[in-house]
Amino acid sequence: MSINLEQAKSGQQPLPGQTAKTPAPANRLMSTRTGSKLVRDYWDNLFTARERGATVVWYNGAAINPILQAAGVEYCHGEAFGARLAAMHLEGPAQQAGESYGYINELCSYARTTIGCALLTQKGAADNVEMDEHPDIPPKEIMASRLPAPDFFVNAYAGCSTGQQWDEISYRLFNKKLPFFKISYPLLWGNKPDAGYIRGEEWETASRYVADQIYKLIEFLEFQTGRKFDWDALRESMFYIKKAAELRLEALDLCAARPTPAVFWDWIASIAPINFLPGTPALVDYFAEMKAEIEQRLKDNVSALPNERYRLMFDGIMNWNKVGWLANKFAEHDAAVICGRYTHTSFWNEPHFIDPEDPILGMAKHYLLCPFNHSAKNLGEVMLRDCEKFGLDGIVFHATRTCRSASNGQMVVAQMAQKKGLQTMFFEGDVADESFYKDEVLQSRLEAMLETIDVQRARIA
Amino acid sequence: MASSQKENEIIQSLADIAADPSAYASAWKQRTGGKVVGIMPMNFPGELVHAAGALPVVVQEDRATITLGRSLIYEFYCGYTRSLVDQSATGKFEGYDAFLIVDHCVALLGAIDAMRFEIPDTPIYLAQFTASMDEPWSPPQVRGRIDELRARLEELCGRKIADGDIATSIAAFNRNRGLLRRIYDLRRSGVAPITSRQMQALVKSAMVMDIDEHSARLEELVPLLEARTAEASRLPKLHLSGNFCHAPHPELLDMIESCGVVVVDDDLYTGYRYIATDVPADGDPAEALTRWYFNRNTNVPCSTRAQKSADWEGYLAKAVEKSGASGIIILIAKFCEPHMLYYPELRKELRRREIPHLVIETEHEGLPLEMLKTRVEALVEHIKRPVRSAEAV
Ligand code: SF4
Ligand code: SF4
């Protein structure tokens, strides 16, 4: 069993990096394996969409999948596929294809990866798309090329101009021939004094604006498929998604316990299911299983780390090719990463907005709640609330080299956090390009932050 | 006074103002008692601010090394946004009464948010224009933002903005754009071999000065240029493209022109892109400003907008045909996402049309001019070759 906070405060434990103990790997939840299987099955099924004669849409941004599901089309979330490739360390060929096509590596690596997939996927790519010779682009069997070519595109990217613009490129890569629908979102900036997280006139106006566009999307889908939209299917799907989202939030809240029974990395592992898996009983069962495992751990006094000494927040978009590695890195330092902006302030995170009988407005609100669609003021409000709720010592900011959207506001929020007595640190990495990650920087900054927390505690004691 | 001397004097006086917009703005403020409003690139309709009786100043990059700004925004943001934040942190924005923005580039939004934190007493208002231009519901959205800006400016300046005020401002800005376009025409035709540094000074000063005062100086300049009898240069002609939101450093432009080429045209933001499109002079003036926003992107497409039919590469090819340029230098501000994302589309088309081109990443802090010079010289050699491959340099 881990030490408690009192032991940590009393200074009985050595400083980080000074122990001779063997590294303590994170005690990851077993139930996330169920999620991984669901996700793998989802992709395997999608890869055969063409053979099955299904209509395929490529989309980016918000979780419009319940709408696509109800329209009877199969869908590929571009970023999710990019993240999957990076997490499986298979992003190389797609990124090389992007580089050969002319992308500078400072460009969003999600976009580079996914557009690289489009280049590799495109039928007759060699004829239609001009790429420089690249010795490392392997033949088509590679995972990156397995995406079924789209029948049309939907862009629904909030919070980032690049997210919107990247589908303009996908559209052009397919010779401007495929239908393409776009949803636009205003940044939740807050000009007026009543503005704040999910409140104020601007929030309500923006929600209605997005909802109106979703109705237009449905008209577009009806036109493309030649079928009436299945509203009952949408209601049913949103019923299950709401249930799953509630279970996820309840499970997240259980991690306020000390020591925590689960960590941020477990939640990262379950992003894909809540982000794009169909709203079905299987999704509900998955999050019920996760919650039950956490409850069991609490009963059995099993913690995520054998020695939780520090409680931290991870801010920024995920560093997909480093998830397991980072999980162990923090665990080795007895640092429990309890929550994060990406996991806790996104993905149907305000399920009370969803009315399964009339779901569109609630869905629109969630689309606006992309964690990168907030002003720094909103972010500070939400993140500092979570720091208090989970009893955190500090925030680790992942300065995401090619994602300005996730990096916006971080330095401002760090200053807000410091004023509240929280410790902060930054490390540079990237969402899907590991060349930007510097291990020594993370190591030394993490150790410095943890030492400062110790000093702070000693002072208080 | 010889006319060339007079020309130089006018251009130099405008260049001096462009080099220090804050000094001009403070003097203007003292003289008129009006408000100075910083407007952010690249789609803000300055006419609205002018109609409110305030001075619209397109906020410029400052050449100072980034210092305090480093604690507010990362180094992997474009130089312009880092400079904005740094200027706010180092007190250089004290003369501004407000900042207004309609663009949505992710880096720009991050920067103005950091500014808002740093200078909390200066209003910073975002009226985000829908960037996707294709949907029939986008124009009413943009119109709504224009109405909001109008109301905000009325509040800020303490006066009503009548339709007639906007129409007068539109006329003043159209006149100014027309004069600058005339200079562009003279430059393209070879009659007035204006250097890129000079051209930049003319456009940049238009961005920061009282528009009528600027036009008055151009009215003096244009006839002098028209009276020139210069023979068109025999040097290879180039087109400069890109560099969103801020002006490329003049020494880079000088270096390019020192390589035995003449720059005849551009679609730089601090260049032709800024002045290419007039606001329709008919109908409801707020509606005309809305139409202008959409027209601009059809006229000179920009990859910060999302428009299926917009075709920047096609525009470039036509521009080159019109000016007779035999090559293009594409200036990409380092870390500029919308430009990096679109560049391969440009490259594909330029290769297809066998238009030689070179990409230069521009940076806030120092450029390796000597190294870049070698690359420009290689491009020039390539252009001069009687039979050349389609490859870009
Ligand atoms: S920069 Fe970030 S938020 Fe924008 S498209 Fe890329 S990954 Fe998404
Ligand atoms: S468009 Fe490019 S230059 Fe302008 S703010 Fe965005 S990144 Fe910077």
Side-chain angles (χ1 to χ4, degrees):
Chain A
M1 186 53 203
S2 65
I3 59 156
N4 63 32
L5 190 59
E6 291 315 308
Q7 284 171 299
K9 275 186 188 163
S10 70
Q12 290 166 10
Q13 292 295 313
L15 285 173
Q18 293 182 336
T19 53
K21 65 180 186 239
T22 45
N27 180 14
R28 307 283 293 273
L29 291 178
M30 298 302 284
S31 48
T32 53
R33 293 184 186 179
T34 309
S36 305
K37 181 173 179 332
L38 290 172
V39 171
R40 194 169 52 244
D41 292 349
Y42 168 84
W43 287 112
D44 285 345
N45 183 52
L46 183 68
F47 295 150
T48 64
R50 284 273 155 236
E51 290 98 87
R52 288 180 286 107
T55 301
V56 176
V57 56
W58 285 12
Y59 75 108
N60 272 313
I64 55 166
N65 50 300
I67 293 168
L68 303 173
Q69 185 190 339
V73 298
E74 302 209 7
Y75 48 87
C76 167
H77 189 243
E79 301 144 86
F81 192 64
R84 183 166 177 79
L85 286 181
M88 296 166 81
H89 302 283
L90 292 172
E91 73 281 20
Q95 289 180 5
Q96 283 150 10
E99 188 185 327
S100 301
Y101 189 57
Y103 290 119
I104 297 168
N105 75 338
E106 295 290 354
L107 174 68
C108 161
S109 56
Y110 255 177
R112 278 189 281 132
T113 308
T114 314
I115 294 172
C117 291
L119 288 163
L120 296 170
T121 293
Q122 199 191 37
K123 285 191 177 57
D127 301 330
N128 297 329
V129 179
E130 185 180 353
M131 289 194 277
D132 292 335
E133 290 282 308
H134 201 301
D136 300 328
I137 298 179
K140 279 207 150 200
E141 308 81 76
I142 54 169
M143 170 88 158
S145 66
R146 290 186 66 200
L147 278 187
D151 292 291
F152 55 88
F153 301 102
V154 178
N155 183 276
Y157 219 109
C160 180
S161 48
T162 302
Q164 182 180 53
Q165 288 148 7
W166 118 31
D167 277 329
E168 294 294 319
I169 303 299
S170 311
Y171 172 70
R172 283 163 171 79
L173 283 184
F174 285 84
N175 303 317
K176 292 190 173 184
K177 295 232 167 76
L178 299 181
F180 178 18
F181 188 91
K182 298 178 253 182
I183 297 179
S184 299
Y185 307 85
L187 175 76
L188 298 174
W189 166 262
N191 284 306
K192 301 206 171 122
D194 69 346
Y197 179 70
I198 59 175
R199 64 177 182 274
E201 188 192 327
E202 289 166 60
W203 160 248
E204 296 300 337
T205 312
S207 302
R208 284 192 299 275
Y209 170 45
V210 175
D212 288 347
Q213 294 178 79
I214 298 174
Y215 285 111
K216 299 279 183 206
L217 169 64
I218 290 170
E219 284 173 26
F220 169 85
L221 291 168
E222 287 184 326
F223 181 78
Q224 295 305 328
T225 59
R227 285 190 298 270
K228 279 304 265 176
F229 184 73
D230 189 343
W231 283 97
D232 284 339
L234 178 67
R235 289 187 192 106
E236 189 182 321
S237 168
M238 288 314 296
F239 169 82
Y240 291 123
I241 285 176
K242 177 172 181 165
K243 193 80 208 122
E246 285 167 346
L247 287 164
R248 191 178 82 103
L249 285 189
E250 287 158 16
L252 290 173
D253 284 353
L254 292 174
C255 297
R258 287 171 182 267
T260 185
V263 279
F264 173 76
W265 318 106
D266 297 309
W267 304 118
I268 282 290
S270 64
I271 276 185
I274 196 69
N275 182 29
F276 62 83
L277 285 189
T280 61
L283 188 69
V284 177
D285 291 348
Y286 168 57
F287 283 103
E289 188 188 336
M290 261 191 110
K291 187 183 165 201
E293 186 182 0
I294 291 172
E295 284 171 334
Q296 194 58 45
R297 280 190 171 193
L298 285 171
K299 251 189 236 152
D300 300 345
N301 277 347
V302 173
S303 59
L305 303 191
N307 252 333
E308 176 183 306
R309 297 180 66 207
Y310 311 97
R311 294 170 69 88
L312 305 175
M313 173 183 276
F314 185 98
D315 184 67
I317 201 164
M318 200 46 228
N319 197 319
W320 286 111
N321 20 37
K322 292 282 170 194
V323 180
W325 200 90
L326 282 169
N328 285 335
K329 169 72 66 183
F330 281 87
E332 273 169 40
H333 288 81
D334 301 333
V337 182
I338 311 278
C339 68
R341 174 168 27 142
Y342 199 45
T343 46
H344 286 54
T345 67
S346 190
F347 307 110
W348 309 113
N349 60 316
E350 301 286 354
H352 56 96
F353 282 140
I354 301 169
D355 172 1
E357 285 310 304
D358 184 11
I360 299 295
L361 185 61
M363 295 171 83
K365 288 183 186 237
H366 279 97
Y367 300 162
L368 280 163
L369 287 180
C370 159
F372 310 124
N373 195 38
H374 293 287
S375 66
K377 186 167 154 263
N378 275 10
L379 281 183
E381 180 185 332
V382 175
M383 288 169 59
L384 296 183
R385 178 199 69 190
D386 280 352
C387 285
E388 203 178 318
K389 175 173 166 185
F390 292 103
L392 306 187
D393 303 303
I395 308 178
V396 177
F397 289 93
H398 173 209
T400 314
R401 175 78 180 210
T402 71
C403 179
R404 281 95 198 157
S405 181
S407 305
N408 275 350
Q410 286 188 327
M411 288 175 135
V412 170
V413 173
Q415 291 189 30
M416 293 177 187
Q418 286 153 14
K419 281 192 191 131
K420 295 267 178 202
L422 290 157
Q423 295 304 316
T424 60
M425 63 162 270
F426 295 87
F427 76 100
E428 200 172 291
D430 192 48
V431 54
D433 185 339
E434 63 183 333
S435 67
F436 291 117
Y437 177 77
K438 303 275 176 299
D439 185 25
E440 329 73 66
V441 175
L442 171 65
Q443 177 82 20
S444 62
R445 293 197 184 155
L446 179 61
E447 285 173 4
M449 179 168 87
L450 299 181
E451 280 174 17
T452 313
I453 293 171
D454 285 341
V455 170
Q456 201 178 26
R457 285 175 178 169
R459 220 182 273 143
I460 293 166
Chain B
M1 186 189 293
S3 67
S4 66
Q5 196 186 337
K6 179 79 180 144
E7 271 171 30
N8 286 338
E9 252 184 47
I10 296 170
I11 296 174
Q12 191 52 50
S13 70
L14 294 173
D16 291 344
I17 292 172
D20 192 358
S22 301
Y24 176 86
S26 327
W28 180 91
K29 202 171 185 172
Q30 221 165 21
R31 194 169 76 235
T32 64
K35 305 265 187 205
V36 173
V37 175
I39 59 179
M40 297 299 178
M42 293 187 282
N43 287 285
F44 197 94
E47 288 86 342
L48 265 185
V49 177
H50 183 261
L55 178 70
V57 178
V58 179
V59 184
Q60 301 293 319
E61 183 193 31
D62 183 87
R63 293 295 298 268
T65 305
I66 310 293
T67 53
L68 299 180
R70 280 168 192 267
S71 61
L72 288 161
I73 192 168
Y74 296 116
E75 287 186 355
F76 50 80
Y77 280 60
C78 72
Y80 177 67
T81 49
R82 288 191 297 131
S83 170
L84 284 182
V85 175
D86 194 63
Q87 289 180 68
S88 69
T90 50
K92 290 186 176 155
F93 285 156
E94 274 162 14
Y96 289 88
D97 296 293
F99 292 93
L100 303 176
I101 174 166
V102 298
D103 274 61
H104 82 143
C105 166
V106 63
L108 192 56
L109 291 178
I112 59 160
D113 208 5
M115 278 172 61
R116 186 158 70 153
F117 180 77
E118 195 59 26
I119 46 173
D121 297 332
T122 309
I124 301 183
Y125 192 89
L126 170 68
Q128 191 177 337
F129 281 6
T130 306
S132 181
M133 320 295 264
D134 295 310
E135 294 68 32
W137 49 91
S138 292
Q141 277 297 321
V142 172
R143 171 61 201 263
R145 301 293 81 73
I146 287 178
D147 292 344
E148 273 170 28
L149 283 169
R150 184 174 180 170
R152 190 78 188 88
L153 280 160
E154 286 179 343
E155 213 177 283
L156 183 78
C157 300
R159 62 180 255 193
K160 274 270 168 228
I161 304 175
D163 281 355
D165 296 331
I166 305 179
T168 307
S169 301
I170 288 173
F173 276 71
N174 279 351
R175 171 181 166 227
N176 188 264
R177 283 185 281 252
L179 287 161
L180 284 165
R181 284 200 301 272
R182 176 73 188 129
I183 297 175
Y184 264 94
D185 284 341
L186 293 167
R187 185 191 194 209
R188 271 187 215 108
S189 67
V191 170
I194 305 242
T195 65
S196 296
R197 178 188 275 268
Q198 288 175 321
M199 203 69 233
Q200 181 182 101
L202 295 179
V203 177
K204 200 169 166 187
S205 52
M207 291 172 158
V208 302
M209 278 176 75
D210 172 75
I211 205 73
D212 290 322
E213 188 186 342
H214 191 262
S215 292
R217 299 216 192 165
L218 294 185
E219 300 273 19
E220 286 179 67
L221 179 64
V222 168
L224 299 174
L225 296 176
E226 282 172 336
R228 280 212 186 178
T229 50
E231 284 220 349
S233 163
R234 288 172 182 278
L235 295 173
K237 296 174 180 176
L238 282 188
H239 177 109
L240 294 186
S241 176
N243 224 85
F244 292 159
C245 294
H246 64 301
H249 296 170
E251 59 272 23
L252 173 67
L253 305 176
D254 296 344
M255 179 278 283
I256 291 171
E257 285 169 333
S258 75
C259 295
V261 290
V262 52
V263 174
V264 285
D265 199 2
D266 69 66
D267 61 285
L268 305 172
Y269 172 64
T270 312
Y272 192 68
R273 182 179 294 283
Y274 182 70
I275 49 107
T277 311
D278 279 344
V279 179
D282 58 325
D284 170 55
E287 200 55 42
L289 291 176
T290 309
R291 275 156 62 204
W292 173 72
Y293 169 65
F294 289 88
N295 293 348
R296 285 187 85 214
N297 204 52
T298 333
N299 198 13
V300 186
C302 176
S303 61
T304 63
R305 306 295 100 189
Q307 184 173 357
K308 288 187 267 187
S309 56
D311 180 7
W312 186 8
E313 56 275 35
Y315 167 84
L316 268 185
K318 271 195 213 128
V320 159
E321 221 169 84
K322 184 171 161 198
S323 69
S326 35
I328 298 181
I329 295 185
I330 298 177
L331 304 176
I332 301 185
K334 189 161 185 182
F335 304 118
C336 177
E337 285 272 316
H339 205 170
M340 288 190 286
L341 189 55
Y342 207 85
Y343 164 66
E345 305 309 305
L346 302 178
R347 181 177 91 157
K348 194 163 52 178
E349 185 64 7
L350 297 181
R351 283 182 172 185
R352 195 180 70 75
R353 292 179 183 255
E354 301 190 5
I355 300 171
H357 78 278
L358 168 70
V359 175
I360 294 180
E361 272 192 295
T362 62
E363 294 190 48
H364 180 75
E365 283 98 0
L367 281 169
L369 282 178
E370 276 311 311
M371 208 175 79
L372 292 173
K373 189 168 186 193
T374 315
R375 293 178 56 210
V376 177
E377 284 167 348
L379 173 75
V380 177
E381 279 312 307
H382 182 74
I383 289 170
K384 283 181 178 164
R385 239 178 268 156
V387 180
R388 53 172 203 246
S389 73
E391 280 308 294
V393 181

